[in-house]
Amino acid sequence: MYAGRRTVTLEAGQKNMTDTQVELEFTVTDTGIGISEAFQARIFEPFEQEEKYTARQYGGTGLGLSISSSFVNMMGGQISVESRLGEGTKFTVNLAFPRVIEDEQQRIGEYNCNKSEREEEQHELSGVRILLAEDNEINAEIVTELLQESKAAVEQACNGEIAVEKFAESPEGTYTMILMDIQMPVMDGMEAARAIRALNRPDAEKVLIIGLSANAFREDVDKAMDSGMNGYLCKPIDPERLYQILEGFLRDRALQA
């Protein structure tokens, strides 16, 4: 087994180009535990995990690679895996994209520039306090930085149980919104949402709770709503959709005041 420092490397490059399209190749290589040859044959199937203890030890549902494979296939591309136990794994994705002519590139550049200027003017979240329940440190830092750029105050919790404790121990009205990852260790997001709604305090019923998940199936959204959540955002988070939900909630609350 590999005993040194483990690494994950992402590489992207142009594979081929014609007058109408460009083919790109993306590779993700790690120096982790590797994948057995037998499991590689079914790794892109839904809910597949190599060992029964994988979900308990590392998290996950066995849907990530299935969803990734579906996206790649819908885009007309290919995804493959190469791996050896104890040595690491390499995933390769090949995708073809239409080429953009120079005039179109200029228009897109001007639109994005104007869009960025408008977004900087629109999003002002001073005085908004958000509790972010997310067990993945990288995801938590990205969302925190995104919100802090709009001057929101963000407090993190690494699992649902800690999120419930933070909310219960805070003065009433401390948090404007809770961003709740659905799948977390110790206590998942839906359990935590139900626990917060059950607290004997007025703001437990009113605080906005938004679920975060990579699962975009209708049944997943329905379960989140049934647990007491007000909304649902798919990962990776679309900043504009996040701002839209939060600002809409703040407008509604101001009208009710």
Side-chain angles (χ1 to χ4, degrees):
M1 296 295 289
Y2 184 81
R5 182 179 180 183
R6 294 177 180 175
T7 62
V8 178
T9 304
L10 169 65
E11 296 180 297
Q14 180 180 305
K15 191 175 181 182
N16 190 28
M17 184 168 63
T18 66
D19 291 338
T20 59
Q21 69 177 21
V22 57
E23 295 180 23
L24 302 180
E25 182 172 89
F26 304 86
T27 61
V28 179
T29 308
D30 68 52
T31 55
I33 60 175
I35 304 167
S36 68
E37 186 173 349
F39 184 61
Q40 290 178 46
R42 63 181 196 278
I43 194 170
F44 297 113
E45 297 177 9
F47 302 106
E48 287 289 343
Q49 293 184 322
E50 187 160 14
E51 302 291 347
K52 293 181 179 179
Y53 63 81
T54 300
R56 293 195 303 270
Q57 184 171 358
Y58 301 107
T61 61
L63 280 171
L65 286 173
S66 173
I67 293 172
S68 299
S69 177
S70 297
F71 282 150
V72 171
N73 289 335
M74 284 191 296
M75 297 174 71
Q78 294 180 323
I79 183 170
S80 60
V81 60
E82 301 173 39
S83 184
R84 295 186 57 143
L85 286 175
E87 296 183 12
T89 303
K90 177 181 178 180
F91 288 94
T92 302
V93 175
N94 289 289
L95 294 170
F97 298 93
R99 291 188 63 187
V100 181
I101 62 174
E102 186 174 347
D103 289 345
E104 289 176 333
Q105 288 177 328
Q106 183 176 356
R107 287 199 299 271
I108 290 171
E110 291 173 352
Y111 171 78
N112 287 336
C113 180
N114 293 335
K115 180 181 177 184
S116 297
E117 291 174 357
R118 292 196 302 271
E119 287 172 354
E120 287 178 2
E121 296 174 357
Q122 288 175 350
H123 305 306
E124 172 60 51
L125 301 178
S126 297
V128 172
R129 190 172 185 84
I130 298 171
L131 176 58
L132 171 63
E134 168 65 77
D135 64 304
N136 184 296
E137 292 183 11
I138 295 176
N139 288 346
E141 289 305 315
I142 291 173
V143 176
T144 297
E145 184 174 346
L146 178 69
L147 292 167
Q148 288 177 340
E149 285 178 358
S150 297
K151 300 182 180 179
V154 183
E155 188 172 343
Q156 296 181 10
C158 62
N159 62 57
E161 184 176 81
I162 293 176
V164 175
E165 290 174 356
K166 283 180 176 290
F167 186 88
E169 294 169 0
S170 67
E172 185 180 328
T174 296
Y175 299 108
T176 310
M177 177 174 71
I178 302 173
L179 290 175
M180 188 80 76
D181 185 31
I182 298 295
Q183 187 172 37
M184 293 183 288
V186 185
M187 178 185 287
D188 66 34
M190 287 186 284
E191 280 186 272
R194 284 191 288 267
I196 289 172
R197 295 301 188 205
L199 293 173
N200 186 24
R201 48 189 286 174
D203 60 342
E205 298 179 3
K206 299 176 182 178
V207 66
L208 183 69
I209 303 179
I210 304 297
L212 308 176
S213 177
N215 298 339
F217 299 110
R218 182 72 252 174
E219 61 189 63
D220 296 309
V221 178
D222 291 342
K223 287 179 182 178
M225 298 302 102
D226 290 342
S227 72
M229 294 183 179
N230 303 95
Y232 193 94
L233 283 173
C234 293
K235 295 180 179 179
I237 293 174
D238 179 355
E240 281 305 297
R241 181 58 181 153
L242 174 59
Y243 290 134
Q244 182 183 22
I245 289 175
L246 180 53
E247 291 170 349
F249 172 76
L250 293 175
R251 284 194 300 270
D252 291 343
R253 191 172 68 173
L255 291 172
Q256 294 170 6

